[in-house]
Amino acid sequence: MGGFMLYVDGKPRATLEPDELLGFVRKGSVEMPVVVEADIEDRSKGDALSKGIAILQLAWFILQLVSRYIQNLPTTLLELDTLALAALAGIAYGLWWKKPKDVRRPYAVYWKTTAFPPSKLAYEYVVNVLS
Amino acid sequence: MFFLEIVLIRMHPRQVDVGSPTESWGDFLRACFHPFIKLMGINAQNSSHAVHSHRVSSVGGYDERSVSSRPIIVLFIGCLSGAVFGGIHCLGWNVLFRGHAEQILWRAASLAIVSAPVSILLLWGYVFWVDSLGELNSAFAISEMLAFLVPLASFFIYIVARIILIVLISMSFQSLPPGIYDTVAWTNFIPHL
């Protein structure tokens, strides 16, 4: 996801965190971005076809396992492991169902020239954990 | 993960800037466990990659400052997923292995994968409960050592158990049960005489 990118003097500065954006909007330094749900959905590169194929594959695999069990055919441990992974995929799929896929461009938020440019933003810190 | 963070933060006030090289084991452990914390999406700081590529990370990108309940939801879902993962491996409880030792190993590893996330959840629930009682009650207060060791041990156990499962799966190919290559006779499901 691209998030909200702050532009100062026409140049991208940093991604804004929700608190920061809210603070700037309240102070009147930036305009409140108007984003409707259709705009967000339009940026997604995934569609019903790509989602449908993935679900079809999962369903086919599970159907085979179940019918093997019904017909008393043996299953391998690898299939069992795959089933466990499929369950995790199901959870992730359910939770990310509405998340737009592969959004590349952030939403631009323009700093008003009359206001004083902001000091450090959260996304300008690079946390060097391995130092 | 959450407790680890709490404990580490308690020991060291959050250093947002490039940390001064305080040589302590807390910093070292923090560096070691940062990938896990990042994966869990809890208190994940913005990575240098995210900053440079102007992206918001897919997992995380939020912390307790924004919406307080989100790390808890993430922790809960993560632990629940882990338990489900182990639970499905428990379906292989009675699978025939080549040796008895392998079977015991499979059962133990499956149970370990279930219990590791559950123990983290239980500890979290306990800490939450103690916190809700008000000021840290010395009788109920969980020792920081325990809050630190249980998640740490859980990570370790989970990773080791997962590796054992993968090794056992590969070893099981040496002796597959007969009929493993038989395919489902789909026509049997159609009612016929």
Side-chain angles (χ1 to χ4, degrees):
Chain A
M1 301 283 274
F4 292 100
M5 174 71 70
L6 181 69
Y7 277 69
V8 179
D9 297 333
K11 288 193 214 65
R13 170 87 184 264
T15 311
L16 290 177
E17 294 211 323
D19 299 353
E20 291 172 337
L21 179 65
L22 199 64
F24 291 151
V25 167
R26 286 207 176 123
K27 276 191 270 175
S29 319
V30 298
E31 284 293 319
M32 178 69 203
V34 181
V35 186
V36 294
E37 197 176 343
D39 288 342
I40 301 171
E41 282 169 4
D42 188 53
R43 294 184 166 211
S44 175
K45 274 83 182 171
D47 54 3
L49 183 70
S50 60
K51 283 178 180 172
I53 289 174
I55 289 171
L56 220 62
Q57 283 180 320
L58 273 184
W60 174 238
F61 171 73
I62 292 167
L63 184 71
Q64 271 188 316
L65 266 193
V66 171
S67 49
R68 283 188 81 84
Y69 179 74
I70 291 171
Q71 299 202 347
N72 285 322
L73 289 168
T75 50
T76 57
L77 293 175
L78 185 64
E79 282 170 307
L80 200 64
D81 195 66
T82 314
L83 181 69
L85 290 172
L88 294 191
I91 293 173
Y93 236 68
L95 291 172
W96 272 3
W97 187 254
K98 295 193 82 173
K99 185 186 169 83
K101 184 184 175 293
D102 200 17
V103 176
R104 286 168 204 170
R105 285 284 297 163
Y107 189 92
V109 174
Y110 294 97
W111 191 260
K112 287 180 184 166
T113 45
T114 50
F116 193 72
S119 51
K120 273 268 189 197
L121 298 165
Y123 262 81
E124 289 176 320
Y125 292 112
V126 178
V127 180
N128 196 351
V129 285
L130 295 171
S131 64
Chain B
M1 219 76 68
F2 198 37
F3 313 111
L4 192 70
E5 279 294 299
I6 290 170
V7 172
L8 290 181
I9 287 167
R10 210 175 280 172
M11 287 189 296
H12 300 275
R14 184 200 286 246
Q15 298 163 333
V16 184
D17 285 290
V18 175
S20 54
T22 46
E23 59 340 304
S24 75
W25 56 280
D27 278 349
F28 174 72
L29 282 173
R30 196 190 173 90
C32 287
F33 281 97
H34 185 262
F36 297 106
I37 292 159
K38 186 91 183 128
L39 264 180
M40 291 287 284
I42 292 160
N43 198 17
Q45 285 143 339
N46 305 323
S47 69
S48 53
H49 179 73
V51 171
H52 283 305
S53 60
H54 295 311
R55 280 180 74 96
V56 180
S57 51
S58 297
V59 180
Y62 37 78
D63 58 6
E64 58 260 53
R65 272 181 305 149
S66 47
V67 184
S68 59
S69 63
R70 273 192 194 162
I72 295 167
I73 296 171
V74 171
L75 182 79
F76 185 75
I77 292 169
C79 289
L80 200 73
S81 308
V84 167
F85 189 70
I88 292 177
H89 280 98
C90 284
L91 290 178
W93 195 261
N94 290 322
V95 169
L96 284 176
F97 288 88
R98 284 178 74 211
H100 189 61
E102 276 105 323
Q103 187 162 37
I104 297 294
L105 258 182
W106 179 273
R107 291 175 179 180
S110 305
L111 283 182
I113 284 187
V114 178
S115 57
V118 168
S119 68
I120 292 179
L121 263 189
L122 284 180
L123 181 75
W124 165 72
Y126 181 73
V127 168
F128 201 70
W129 179 62
V130 168
D131 272 359
S132 71
L133 290 178
E135 269 309 297
L136 275 180
N137 192 330
S138 60
F140 288 113
I142 195 160
S143 73
E144 292 202 349
M145 211 53 201
L146 190 63
F148 178 70
L149 276 180
V150 168
L152 195 69
S154 297
F155 296 148
F156 185 72
I157 289 170
Y158 189 96
I159 291 168
V160 168
R162 182 74 184 117
I163 291 170
I164 288 174
L165 285 185
I166 292 171
V167 169
L168 283 176
I169 288 167
S170 331
M171 281 170 67
S172 74
F173 293 131
Q174 291 176 336
S175 57
L176 289 174
I180 207 76
Y181 292 111
D182 294 346
T183 50
V184 177
W186 293 105
T187 44
N188 285 3
F189 290 111
I190 303 168
H192 59 279
L193 292 175

